[in-house]
Amino acid sequence: IPAHRRVRGHGGADVRGADADPVPAAAHHVAGSHGGRRSHLRRGHRAARWRDPRAGTAGAGPFRSVQGQGMKAVTVLMYHAIVDGEMEGADSHYSVPPATFARQLQLIRSHGRRICSVHQLLYEGLPAGGEPWPVCLTFDDGHLTNAPAAEAIAREEGRAEFFVNPSMVGKPGFLDWPALREMAAMGMAIQSHGMNHRYLDQLSPAEVRAELADSKAAIEDAIGSPVTVYAPAGGRMPENFLSLAGGLGYHAVCSSRVGVWRALDGLPLSPPAPVASARTTHAASGVSDTTAPAGIQAAAHHSGASHPGNVADSPNGIGGNHNSVSNSAAMTNGPALELPRLAMLRGTSEARFLAWITQQPLEMLKQQTRYRVLRLSKQLLGNGGHEKLRALLLRSPRTEPGKTD
């Protein structure tokens, strides 16, 4: 059994706690570097760690593996933009208003849960008995409004996953690399949504491989942290995708399949090896972060016909043959874990949100049935036909192909 699949036991308690104070709504938008704007994130947030209340010392360990207690599954929520109204780069159907998001963070705490990232569970394990049960938050696309969302999560001593496309970083409506690094410093996990926002089931095997490998290399170079979790655009995955992802160094894939994370037996996994960042190389050569996206786009343009690591050919040197790529190539893992998620929409009611985080069986059945109907629509109509039908039902202009999850 590969080292990161070794079983160490699992468990956790479903504990209901006292109501927490509401988190102030993140009503402002944090601007990126594009067009002369800069991001301003609060510094000094300390990353949250789970502690055993029986240990009695401040340094007493993170998550612990405990068998046979409490819930047997983890709810993983999928967010996109956190915005009220229209904003560049945001799909209004998938956008959650800041006040609603703040209320949802409060509800997680007041119902005895704790906000955490997928990374946190993968490599630190499940909470000890008596600790709040986790709810994982993930954000797709890297929208500009994810920065204040990260701040709100950090104020709750939580962590979350933020899946980005390197080719979109720094473009209007999307976060830039400095903002993403500040989020990583808060304890947020910056992970891959693909090099470009493309549906993988429409690409050749070589293009699929490049989307995974090149994005992993680019993010590791820019952030300096391992990239081991992937979220496919639109939830579209070709055959044998989990095996391919695992072979390239990904330990988990956050899909759009509806459900809860039940495959908890092997947690925690062995942590990934540290990666080297190319940031110091960029500084020495005089290349700034604001020029990085253009070079990444140039590399992505020909990624379909190239091998993993082709982003090294970009003018700014983002990605490519750095330690991050060599680490990935050396890994011979089993298939990545598939983690189902529940998509947060503008119209998601508070009652439904509570049913999701408390895993009410009837609500789970409703959502799984809805997912099967939508999946059948995609299979019968194709991606383009499904998007036309979706736009008609939502009475909104059809989105650009590949830009909607």
Side-chain angles (χ1 to χ4, degrees), residues 19 50 77 106 176 192 284 288 332 347 360 384:
D19 288 353
W50 296 84
L77 302 176
Q106 180 208 2
D176 60 12
S192 177
S288 69
T332 53
Q360 298 299 314

Side-chain angles (χ1 to χ4, degrees), residues 61-277:
F63 285 101
R64 298 196 176 195
S65 299
V66 181
Q67 293 184 340
Q69 298 182 27
M71 300 176 73
K72 300 299 180 186
V74 172
T75 298
V76 183
L77 302 176
M78 173 173 57
Y79 289 89
H80 291 77
I82 306 299
V83 61
D84 195 358
E86 300 293 329
M87 187 175 178
E88 188 168 15
D91 184 325
S92 60
H93 180 61
Y94 285 92
S95 298
V96 175
T100 302
F101 179 67
R103 172 64 176 162
Q104 289 168 352
L105 296 184
Q106 180 208 2
L107 290 171
I108 292 173
R109 288 284 298 272
S110 65
H111 284 74
R113 270 63 173 178
R114 187 77 177 270
I115 303 163
C116 72
S117 67
V118 169
H119 247 61
Q120 197 171 359
L121 263 64
L122 285 176
Y123 307 118
E124 298 179 18
L126 295 165
E131 286 289 295
W133 193 250
V135 173
C136 292
L137 303 191
T138 67
F139 295 77
D140 288 9
D141 298 342
H143 193 260
L144 204 60
T145 57
N146 288 174
E151 288 190 302
I153 291 167
R155 287 194 295 269
E156 291 293 307
E157 297 184 341
R159 302 186 206 172
E161 241 80 23
F162 292 84
F163 296 104
V164 302
N165 306 108
S167 67
M168 297 301 295
V169 171
K171 289 190 174 183
F174 296 89
L175 293 163
D176 60 12
W177 290 118
L180 289 167
R181 280 196 287 271
E182 290 187 31
M183 290 163 62
M186 293 187 216
M188 308 302 150
I190 312 302
Q191 300 296 297
S192 177
H193 201 36
M195 194 70 193
N196 310 280
H197 202 289
R198 305 170 72 189
Y199 292 158
L200 299 182
D201 60 355
Q202 297 178 337
L203 305 181
S204 70
E207 289 174 319
V208 172
R209 184 180 179 88
E211 285 289 324
L212 273 71
D214 292 352
S215 61
K216 178 179 171 69
I219 298 168
E220 288 181 341
D221 280 346
I223 304 298
S225 300
V227 173
T228 60
V229 186
Y230 190 91
R236 272 68 158 189
M237 297 186 292
E239 238 181 293
N240 300 319
F241 179 72
L242 298 177
S243 294
L244 173 62
L248 291 173
Y250 289 95
H251 292 169
V253 171
C254 289
S255 70
S256 297
R257 181 168 63 87
V258 171
V260 291
W261 180 5
R262 298 187 184 279
L264 304 172
D265 286 345
L267 302 183
L269 309 182
S270 298
V275 299
S277 171

Side-chain angles (χ1 to χ4, degrees), residues 339-354:
L339 311 186
R341 294 189 290 175
L342 296 165
M344 301 302 302
L345 310 178
R346 176 174 295 280
T348 301
S349 67
E350 185 170 305
R352 175 163 289 173
F353 179 82
L354 287 173

Side-chain angles (χ1 to χ4, degrees), residues 221-222 277-289 292 316-319 322:
D221 280 346
S277 171
R279 289 168 56 196
T280 54
T281 302
H282 302 156
S285 62
V287 177
S288 69
D289 289 304
N316 58 27
I318 289 282
H322 299 290

